[in-house]
Amino acid sequence: MMPGCVMGDKKKMAHLLRALAFVSLATLAGTSAHAATPKAADPDDGQWSMPSKDYAATRYSTLRQITRANAHGLHPVWTFSTGVLGGHEGQPLVVNNTMYVVTPWPNVLYAFDLTKEGYPLRWKYRPAVSPNAIGVACCDSINRGAFYSNGHIFYNLLDGHTVAVDAMTGHELWNTQVADVAAGETVTMAPLVVKDRVIVGASGGEFGIYGWLKALDASSGKIVWTAHNIGPDADMLIHADTFKPPYGQGADQGASSWANSSWKNGGAPVWGWLSYDPDVDLVYYGTGNPSPYNPEVRDGDNKWTNSVLARRPGDGALIWAYQFTPHDNWDFDSTGAVVLADVKVNGSPIKALVHFDKNGFAYVLDRATGKLINAAPFAVENWAKSIDLQTGRPVLDPTKQTGVSKGNVKGICPSLEGGVSPASPPAYSPHLGLFFTSTNNFCMDYEAARSTYLKGTPYIGVNSPYMAAPGGHLGALIAWDAAAAKKAWEIPEPYPSWSGVLATAGDVVFYGTLDGWFKSVDATTGKVLSKFKVGSGVVGNPMTFRGPDGKQYVAVFAGIGGDWQLLSGDTNSDDPADVRPPLDMMKQIARHTSQGGMVWIFGL
């Protein structure tokens, strides 16, 4: 997937859009989710110190002042312009009565004092971020947020640096280069801090990078270990005595499953969301697409792209890995969130990992071993007939396989934007046993093209126009009932759904839409309780906090971008030459939104 693509200045960006839009882009059956998840801190603290609220990535808050009975009274109480036009894909943090906001490039960090009227600025940190990174940042120069730990704010800069900032003063404590922009690597993800490790990964699957995950020492910023996601065992930090994948054994699978040593430019980026289970001391994360998009130059399973990997945070050793989409033909990244929750199977509790994959299937794995428990489609899909629970592999539809020799393969569902975008993390309510996620409802034709690897340039090779899938809508918010392996309810949306989701103990769920609405809904029925037009499409993630006055508030970014900066057409008003047409399937989107960059806070 294209996680986060602009090329050089705005004129180059327009040229890239034309190239991509018209050349590159022209089950859970028998299970029931059930409470208990690993915790980052006291869940009742009213704060939001990490991107996903807790290490289990539930995006669930036990705050309950906002309820189904009173959510209709939600209204804006504060706004702030970040000063940046672009995709705002992250979420604010609130710690010790201070709100922290990170912008897209140039990655400014703001700290607001919530104890004073108008929430004045405590301080602003402006790092030096090279504009050269914009030219190799795929799909907008976004940033997915920061992490608070032990008095420090940690976050990533687009040009491949990770920084630590004093949370009280805004003073830079350290700044470490982790990625190589010249090789097509940028860093758009939010870090995960576990004990004394700051864990980060790189975007760049469309540039043929050699994907990796790194851990930095939290106090000094020194790189402690680097683990590649593909390649020989030594590069992947695989040890024969501790690496136990649930399906298939053997040395150097990350290299031998790639024809012609194609793993060396194989992609496998990490730009999404990470989880951590302190009981088994494992960090979980998803990897992205293999490069290039033409699968015929990289025969084999292409392990461990499109996979979930479990590593020890201390030394980076890989303990297990599971591949969702072997030999990816369709750009089905698996960098989306992996939610940790206890699941009952035939009456017995399983410590599970739940993942809504871009390929359209929802997966439940045993998070200690990686063994597949169940999988079921949550979106329209036809590339696979099912997932084989014995082998863990998809049962493929041979008519939907792609490659240069196969020409233009018609009507593949979902599109390469996914049944869900990995940039759109779900939420999980242990109280209700329901998962909530944004989804997309469109398909694609896929015509692979030949491409040549050149360091630091796009390594893609596909023409892939989109079309609407059955149903008359392009997106939706769904509640997923794990016990019944089906949707509990659905809210159709006219445009693709790209925001993250927030769930609360008040049984209220929050999300935003691409055409600029911020909504609260009844978590049990899907009934819309309130909505407010926030001025620009929402591709960020709502969060909630308790203010110094003891009241519950909800915050969200507005600022259309990400892939939709390339695909939405005339939403950029500061460049008269940028009059790009939108995708045929959503010609009217620019009537409803333009670019923006706002922080909104809502209260009762």
Side-chain angles (χ1 to χ4, degrees):
M1 188 227 176
M2 304 179 183
C5 256
V6 294
M7 301 289 290
D9 57 26
K10 295 186 188 304
K11 291 183 180 179
K12 289 183 179 179
M13 180 174 66
H15 292 321
L16 175 64
L17 173 72
R18 294 185 182 99
L20 286 181
F22 300 105
V23 178
S24 296
L25 297 173
T27 180
L28 305 178
T31 69
S32 62
H34 140 67
T37 53
K39 301 172 184 176
D42 179 356
D44 297 312
D45 63 5
Q47 304 191 100
W48 196 282
S49 63
M50 62 180 73
S52 299
K53 175 55 178 165
D54 51 36
Y55 279 129
T58 64
R59 295 185 182 264
Y60 173 79
S61 171
T62 57
L63 297 181
R64 59 179 69 242
Q65 287 184 5
I66 300 171
T67 68
R68 292 175 291 172
N70 62 24
H72 66 276
L74 284 167
H75 60 276
V77 298
W78 184 80
T79 60
F80 177 80
S81 171
T82 66
V84 179
L85 295 178
H88 284 60
E89 285 194 356
Q91 56 286 303
L93 303 180
V94 170
V95 183
N96 298 329
N97 293 325
T98 302
M99 173 176 280
Y100 300 94
V101 170
V102 178
T103 75
W105 186 91
N107 304 138
V108 178
L109 172 62
Y110 292 95
F112 299 101
D113 186 346
L114 301 182
T115 67
K116 296 180 180 178
E117 184 180 10
Y119 301 165
L121 190 66
R122 288 189 188 271
W123 49 258
K124 180 192 300 185
Y125 165 68
R126 282 195 190 91
V129 189
S130 172
N132 293 335
I134 300 174
V136 290
C138 181
C139 320
D140 204 4
S141 49
I142 59 89
N143 183 284
R144 296 190 175 91
F147 195 112
Y148 172 89
S149 179
N150 196 30
H152 300 165
I153 299 291
F154 301 92
Y155 73 105
N156 294 310
L157 310 180
L158 187 67
D159 66 354
H161 290 73
T162 302
V163 297
V165 178
D166 186 290
M168 289 295 293
T169 67
H171 175 69
E172 182 183 288
L173 301 172
W174 51 256
N175 183 322
T176 301
Q177 182 177 348
V178 294
D180 180 6
V181 169
E185 297 177 347
T186 52
V187 184
T188 59
M189 66 171 291
L192 181 77
V193 181
V194 176
K195 302 174 184 176
D196 61 349
R197 298 285 188 261
V198 182
I199 301 174
V200 299
S203 306
E206 278 66 46
F207 290 79
I209 68 168
Y210 185 21
W212 48 261
L213 194 75
K214 296 182 181 182
L216 287 66
D217 178 77
S219 60
S220 67
K222 179 181 177 181
I223 297 174
V224 179
W225 52 258
T226 298
H228 287 277
N229 304 315
I230 53 180
D233 286 355
D235 289 6
M236 292 190 65
L237 302 187
I238 287 176
H239 311 293
D241 57 334
T242 56
F243 180 54
K244 306 295 181 184
Y247 306 98
Q249 302 290 328
D252 295 318
Q253 295 183 69
S256 63
S257 61
W258 296 74
N260 307 315
S261 298
S262 50
W263 58 267
K264 294 180 179 179
N265 309 117
V270 181
W271 51 265
W273 313 97
L274 283 66
S275 308
Y276 172 65
D277 185 343
D279 292 337
V280 294
D281 194 31
L282 289 177
V283 168
Y284 306 92
Y285 66 99
T287 59
N289 59 285
S291 298
Y293 284 19
N294 173 22
E296 293 178 341
V297 301
R298 45 175 175 81
D299 286 342
D301 279 354
N302 307 145
K303 298 182 185 296
W304 294 95
T305 59
N306 305 77
S307 301
V308 57
L309 279 65
R311 293 191 183 275
R312 292 196 304 241
D315 61 5
L318 187 62
I319 304 305
W320 61 259
Y322 171 79
Q323 191 171 42
F324 298 105
T325 311
H327 187 58
D328 177 19
N329 280 224
W330 312 274
D331 187 35
F332 288 159
D333 306 66
S334 297
T335 53
V338 287
V339 182
L340 311 184
D342 288 358
V343 173
K344 280 190 175 180
V345 180
N346 298 323
S348 300
I350 299 290
K351 292 186 177 299
L353 177 156
V354 179
H355 172 70
F356 295 88
D357 198 78
K358 199 176 170 185
N359 69 19
F361 284 87
Y363 294 80
V364 176
L365 306 178
D366 183 316
R367 66 177 180 262
T369 66
K371 180 178 173 57
L372 178 64
I373 298 171
N374 244 315
F378 66 90
V380 175
E381 69 79 27
N382 61 15
W383 66 277
K385 299 177 181 179
S386 63
I387 307 298
D388 188 319
L389 298 184
Q390 298 303 311
T391 65
R393 299 177 66 89
V395 179
L396 300 174
D397 182 335
T399 68
K400 302 303 180 185
Q401 303 307 293
T402 70
V404 169
S405 69
K406 294 179 171 58
N408 190 5
V409 183
K410 301 282 190 176
I412 299 171
C413 306
S415 80
L416 58 76
E417 300 294 343
V420 60
S421 167
S424 309
Y428 168 63
S429 170
H431 170 60
L432 297 174
L434 290 176
F435 294 86
F436 308 92
T437 185
S438 295
T439 63
N440 299 312
N441 189 48
F442 45 104
C443 305
M444 64 180 174
D445 297 338
Y446 197 103
E447 185 176 14
R450 301 187 188 279
S451 57
T452 301
Y453 175 75
L454 180 64
K455 181 179 177 180
T457 63
Y459 187 41
I460 303 176
V462 68
N463 173 30
S464 182
Y466 302 156
M467 67 285 300
H473 59 282
L474 296 178
L477 179 75
I478 69 168
W480 185 258
D481 182 337
K486 65 179 183 180
K487 299 172 189 175
W489 50 256
E490 177 180 42
I491 304 173
E493 293 290 347
Y495 296 106
S497 294
W498 218 255
S499 87
V501 186
L502 165 68
T504 69
D507 289 342
V508 181
V509 168
F510 300 85
Y511 74 108
T513 70
L514 208 62
D515 52 346
W517 292 99
F518 183 57
K519 299 183 180 182
S520 69
V521 304
D522 185 326
T524 64
T525 66
K527 177 184 177 182
V528 175
L529 303 172
S530 68
K531 64 179 184 178
F532 187 87
K533 193 74 166 171
V534 290
S536 185
V538 179
V539 296
N541 313 308
M543 53 81 70
T544 188
F545 64 95
R546 181 186 295 114
D549 57 3
K551 296 180 180 180
Q552 181 184 358
Y553 297 93
V554 178
V556 69
F557 292 146
I560 192 171
D563 285 15
W564 304 106
Q565 164 60 18
L566 297 173
L567 304 176
S568 294
D570 188 15
T571 60
N572 184 358
S573 298
D574 64 348
D575 183 357
D578 183 18
V579 289
R580 300 164 291 121
L583 290 178
D584 286 343
M585 67 178 191
M586 46 185 287
K587 290 182 178 180
Q588 302 299 314
I589 185 66
R591 296 182 61 194
H592 303 281
T593 181
S594 291
Q595 282 192 302
M598 295 287 290
V599 188
W600 291 84
I601 297 180
F602 292 83
L604 293 173

